[in-house]
Amino acid sequence: MASWGAVINGPSGHAFYAALDRLISRRGAQAVALKIAVDQLVYTPPLTAGFFIFQSLAAGSTTRAAIELAINETWTTLQYNWCFWGVAHVITFAAIPLEHRVAWVALKNFAWSGFLSWRLSSLEQSSSDSVSDAHTSCMPPDQIDLLPAASNHHDAIRSGSW
């Protein structure tokens, strides 16, 4: 995961956000919405597919298997991504000065990387589950029924069901 951030995500994010600010220099709600749309619809889909390919190849998979994983998982992961990053980027583009955005996004990426690690781990543990089905909820669908059964979130996390 660290190599993904150091080799791909960090440098490409730095270049992308600097270019985005140059291309969309307006201020206000419309500019923020436009920046989020460009980020989420232009930059993020290939980055997400690239993540699955990179991680799969790093784990020793064949190129064909890595591409298949990306094809199967990118759409669902993008739906989770839009729930998380859509909100995070309102703050990114409305309140965080350009010179601090890479650090701000890196902080958010730490949380997002945790989710991606969980997702890859879930896929490895049970390829027969319906983890890759499309969902509209921001919570992983196979986890929704598990939380009420636990006495609290800490129990769910400790038991490995979160």
Side-chain angles (χ1 to χ4, degrees):
M1 189 68 75
S3 60
W4 165 256
V7 174
I8 307 290
N9 199 27
S12 71
H14 178 74
F16 173 78
Y17 292 116
L20 186 63
D21 244 35
R22 281 192 308 273
L23 292 171
I24 305 170
S25 58
R26 298 182 309 194
R27 302 243 183 256
Q30 287 181 334
V32 169
L34 183 57
K35 287 178 181 182
I36 292 170
V38 170
D39 176 76
Q40 295 298 294
L41 300 174
V42 174
Y43 177 65
T44 300
L47 188 71
T48 301
F51 167 81
F52 284 112
I53 292 169
F54 184 92
Q55 294 295 58
S56 188
L57 291 173
S61 294
T62 65
T63 301
R64 183 183 184 113
I67 292 170
E68 186 175 313
L69 177 66
I71 289 168
N72 291 336
E73 294 305 318
T74 297
W75 175 244
T76 300
T77 303
L78 282 172
Q79 292 175 56
Y80 291 116
N81 173 82
W82 294 329
C83 293
F84 178 82
W85 284 104
V87 173
H89 280 328
V90 168
I91 298 167
T92 301
F93 297 125
I96 305 296
L98 179 60
E99 63 270 14
H100 300 298
R101 282 197 192 139
V102 171
W104 167 256
V105 171
L107 180 63
K108 302 296 150 238
N109 253 331
F110 183 75
W112 181 245
S113 294
F115 169 78
L116 290 176
S117 293
W118 169 84
R119 184 138 179 87
L120 281 174
S121 175
S122 295
L123 293 170
E124 291 168 1
Q125 289 177 5
S126 178
S127 62
S128 63
D129 283 352
S130 61
V131 173
S132 63
D133 292 340
H135 304 288
T136 56
S137 170
C138 288
M139 181 175 213
D142 57 337
Q143 303 299 307
I144 291 171
D145 292 333
L146 296 175
L147 288 177
S151 62
N152 63 45
H153 293 293
H154 298 290
D155 290 345
I157 292 168
R158 255 194 310 279
S159 71
S161 64
W162 174 270

